[in-house]
């Protein structure tokens, strides 16, 4: 199946016909269908499918048995070499042998935000499978395993923590805390995993699997308007996090409660939304409140409780924290003025990620060698599993141009020609990192 055919076959799954937005939530039917689609595609290619202890999927293309694992690179020394499980720093700067063992992992995720776009996640997975096809068409074979990953619950749209699958794999979240996470219907992650055939007691850091990964290269649609050529390389991910705000007031009748007698949590909530915007502007950061639950949610009832979720990000960690602190103070102040109790809890945070310099340069070199000009290098405000993996293995990202600049919404887009340029770039990268030097080069 070509890239276009794979893309077309995945496209209808979880799509809202009215809006064109996607609803693919971890372990829900649409996302399970996407996972089944991936397993089917992997098996059609004879790749070995593995589901790890944390519900992440991997499709492996392994070197043929009997092939030598090590070789002397003449023009293109591998970043990865040695026995799987040997983990050393990459210190390959431009052609000399760097020491590292393990597989070259690529891939991304198949879950979506509510009403999300088609490209965020799936583009990386479909491109990875298409890149393997291209390598095979060209008679290339891996000298070390190439893996395609589908990480679970990257968006955190169901259980609240973004990159949950990769956080569990790397030990970035306590498994007991993860098991207790609840979705909007009160279902725990433990129960959702059990229903999906994953033993919730077995989740958590997986050193054996991590030890098999030599490096990770995630291809992703660019999520702003920062790229004016088809393909770019990521330099960094901005620090970002999520906080929950709770405003507890007093439920009462909308028609009989005098204004002065009310303890309406909606009022400090509204003040906090405005404060978030002002605070972000003051600190050169970003702050968004995009999700709110009002209890009980009656038109003719003063709410008893408002829960809201704040997403804050920015190029500078201190600025992000200063933004959030100011929002918290504003929430407390506004709550006090209305007889409401306010509380803010941090749900997740991710420090600034600077991608591995040597691997990033290696990617740029491989793409340029392929006849393309050297790709631009750019940071992003969007989070990715690559950002979590980066603390454990050399990690890099490729971005594919997004002409609308829209993401997490139906208008998210990448032109077919740019998608194919992304596949070609990823093919060159995988060839460079994982295959023996070709006789022609
Ligand atoms: O929320 C994010 O930045 C990402 O798209 N998961
Ligand atoms: Mn996303
Ligand atoms: Mn994504």
């Amino acid at each position: 199946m070509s890239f276009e055919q794979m893309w077309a076959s995945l496209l209808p799954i979880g799509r809202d016909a009215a809006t064109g937005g996607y609803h693919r939530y971890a372990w829900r039917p649409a996302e399970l269908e996407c996972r089944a689609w991936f397993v089917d595609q992997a098996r059609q290619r004879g790749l070995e499918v593995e589901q790890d202890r944390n519900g992440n999927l991997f499709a492996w293309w392994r070197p043929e048995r009997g092939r030598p694992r090590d070789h002397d690179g003449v023009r293109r020394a591998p970043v990865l070499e040695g026995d799987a499980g040997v983990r050393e720093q990459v210190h390959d700067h431009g052609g000399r042998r760097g020491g590292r063992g393990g597989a070259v992992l690529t891939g991304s995720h198949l879950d979506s935000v509510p009403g999300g776009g088609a490209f965020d996640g799936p583009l990386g997975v479909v491109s990875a499978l298409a890149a393997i096809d291209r390598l095979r068409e060209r008679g290339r074979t891996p000298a070390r395993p190439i893996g395609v990953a589908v990480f679970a619950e990257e968006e955190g749209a169901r259980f609240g923590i973004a990159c949950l699958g990769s956080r569990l794999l790397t030990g970035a979240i306590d498994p007991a805390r993860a098991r207790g996470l609840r979705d909007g219907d009160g279902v725990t992650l433990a129960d959702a995993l059990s229903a999906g055939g994953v033993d919730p007691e077995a989740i958590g850091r997986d050193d054996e699997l991590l030890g098999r990964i030599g490096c990770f290269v995630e291809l992703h649609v660019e999520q702003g308007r920062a790229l004016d050529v088809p393909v770019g390389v990521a330099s960094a991910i901005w620090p970002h996090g999520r906080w929950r705000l709770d405003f507890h007031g007093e439920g009462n009748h909308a028609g009989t409660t005098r204004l002065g007698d009310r303890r309406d949590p909606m009022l400090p909530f509204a003040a906090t939304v405005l404060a978030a915007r002002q605070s972000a502007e003051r600190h050169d950061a970003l702050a968004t409140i995009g999700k709110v639950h009002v209890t009980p949610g009656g038109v003719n009832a003063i709410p008893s409780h408002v829960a809201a979720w704040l997403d804050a990000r920015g190029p500078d960690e201190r600025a992000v924290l200063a933004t959030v602190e100011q929002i918290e103070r504003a929430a407390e102040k506004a709550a006090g003025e209305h007889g409401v109790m306010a509380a803010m809890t941090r749900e997740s945070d991710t420090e600034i990620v600077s991608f591995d310099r040597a691997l990033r340069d290696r990617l740029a070199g491989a793409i340029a060698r392929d006849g393309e000009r050297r790709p631009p290098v750019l940071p992003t405000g969007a989070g990715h599993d690559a950002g979590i993996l980066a603390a454990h293995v050399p990690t890099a990202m490729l971005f594919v141009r997004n002409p609308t600049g829209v993401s997490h919404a139906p208008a998210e887009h990448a032109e077919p020609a740019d998608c194919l340029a992304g596949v070609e770039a990823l093919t060159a990268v995988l060839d460079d990192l994982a295959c023996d030097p070709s006789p022609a080069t």
Side-chain angles (χ1 to χ4, degrees):
M1 237 191 218
S2 66
F3 175 91
E4 291 87 344
Q5 288 166 326
M6 277 192 281
W7 192 253
S9 66
L10 184 59
L11 215 53
I13 304 174
R15 185 169 185 269
D16 180 330
T19 65
Y22 285 85
H23 297 268
R24 295 167 172 166
Y25 308 129
W27 309 108
R28 293 276 196 212
E31 197 255 3
L32 289 173
E33 207 182 319
C34 290
R35 297 167 75 91
W37 174 92
F38 174 72
V39 170
D40 182 51
Q41 290 295 327
R43 292 207 171 123
Q44 281 182 34
R45 288 168 171 77
L47 305 176
E48 188 185 312
V49 177
E50 175 185 14
Q51 179 166 283
D52 76 1
R53 288 199 272 110
N54 296 299
N56 304 305
L57 286 171
F58 299 85
W60 297 106
W61 182 22
R62 299 193 189 282
E64 286 160 33
R65 264 199 209 122
R67 287 174 60 83
R69 234 200 281 234
D70 283 334
H71 60 273
D72 283 312
V74 180
R75 291 190 54 197
R76 295 180 304 154
V79 164
L80 316 166
E81 63 182 4
D83 291 328
V86 176
R87 314 257 311 277
E88 299 165 41
Q89 285 296 341
V90 167
H91 38 76
D92 179 311
H93 297 280
R96 287 214 316 271
R97 291 168 73 95
R100 249 210 102 73
V104 176
L105 190 67
T106 182
S108 190
H109 62 98
L110 292 174
D111 64 312
S112 78
V113 297
F119 295 81
D120 178 356
L123 185 63
V125 176
V126 175
S127 298
L129 294 169
I132 286 180
D133 291 347
R134 286 196 180 190
L135 289 173
R136 284 175 163 171
E137 280 158 21
R138 293 169 193 175
R140 310 294 289 133
T141 49
R144 51 193 49 79
I146 296 178
V148 182
V150 173
F151 286 106
E153 178 71 325
E154 191 275 345
E155 298 289 6
R158 181 166 178 197
F159 291 101
I161 308 283
C163 302
L164 188 56
S166 55
R167 282 184 205 271
L168 282 165
L169 163 65
T170 56
I173 182 168
D174 173 40
R177 179 183 169 215
R179 277 190 284 274
L181 292 171
R182 287 178 190 276
D183 71 6
D185 297 328
V187 177
T188 62
L189 177 70
D191 287 343
L193 289 175
S194 295
V198 177
D199 176 6
E201 293 309 314
I203 63 173
R205 184 176 166 120
D206 189 338
D207 283 313
E208 187 278 322
L209 175 52
L210 275 175
R212 283 190 273 139
I213 303 171
C215 71
F216 179 47
V217 179
E218 181 170 359
L219 178 146
H220 205 278
V221 67
E222 210 273 309
Q223 293 175 279
R225 262 190 297 260
L227 196 54
D228 57 7
V229 294
V231 177
V233 175
S235 57
I237 296 179
W238 287 359
H240 58 284
R242 295 180 182 188
W243 288 260
R244 177 184 167 127
L245 288 146
D246 283 288
F247 298 94
H248 292 277
E250 183 181 58
N252 214 329
H253 195 293
T256 61
T257 317
R258 291 182 303 185
L259 293 179
D261 291 341
R262 297 180 181 210
R263 292 172 50 222
D264 183 350
M266 194 63 96
L267 299 174
F269 162 67
T272 304
V273 174
L274 297 177
R277 170 71 185 223
Q278 285 158 4
S279 178
E281 276 171 1
R282 180 169 308 165
H283 293 100
D284 238 346
L286 299 173
T288 307
I289 296 181
K291 177 175 166 181
V292 55
H293 282 170
V294 180
T295 308
V299 177
N300 52 359
I302 298 161
S304 58
H305 174 233
V306 173
W309 283 264
L310 166 71
D311 177 304
R313 316 180 185 213
D316 182 85
E317 208 148 79
R318 277 168 313 183
V320 174
L321 290 178
T323 304
V324 173
E325 272 166 28
Q326 195 175 4
I327 296 168
E328 184 172 22
R329 282 198 300 275
E332 281 166 359
K333 181 167 177 287
E337 287 164 7
H338 293 282
V340 168
M341 287 268 299
M344 190 159 104
T345 346
R346 188 175 63 187
E347 291 202 329
S348 66
D349 66 352
T350 309
E351 291 175 1
I352 190 163
V353 174
S354 296
F355 288 115
D356 187 278
R357 187 65 195 244
L359 185 58
R360 188 223 290 180
D361 288 349
R362 185 83 183 247
L363 260 57
I367 293 167
R369 190 162 39 228
D370 211 37
E372 300 291 328
R373 70 178 171 127
R374 226 175 151 77
V377 177
L378 59 155
T380 180
H384 300 284
D385 294 306
I388 305 299
L389 269 287
H392 302 269
V393 295
T395 298
M397 290 191 76
L398 293 175
F399 289 134
V400 172
R401 173 165 58 186
N402 175 353
T404 63
V406 174
S407 190
H408 286 183
E412 179 182 276
H413 186 66
E415 289 294 335
D418 288 355
C419 293
L420 294 180
V423 172
E424 198 49 50
L426 185 61
T427 306
V429 165
L430 296 180
D431 193 342
D432 183 47
L433 293 173
C435 299
D436 285 322
S438 78
T441 57

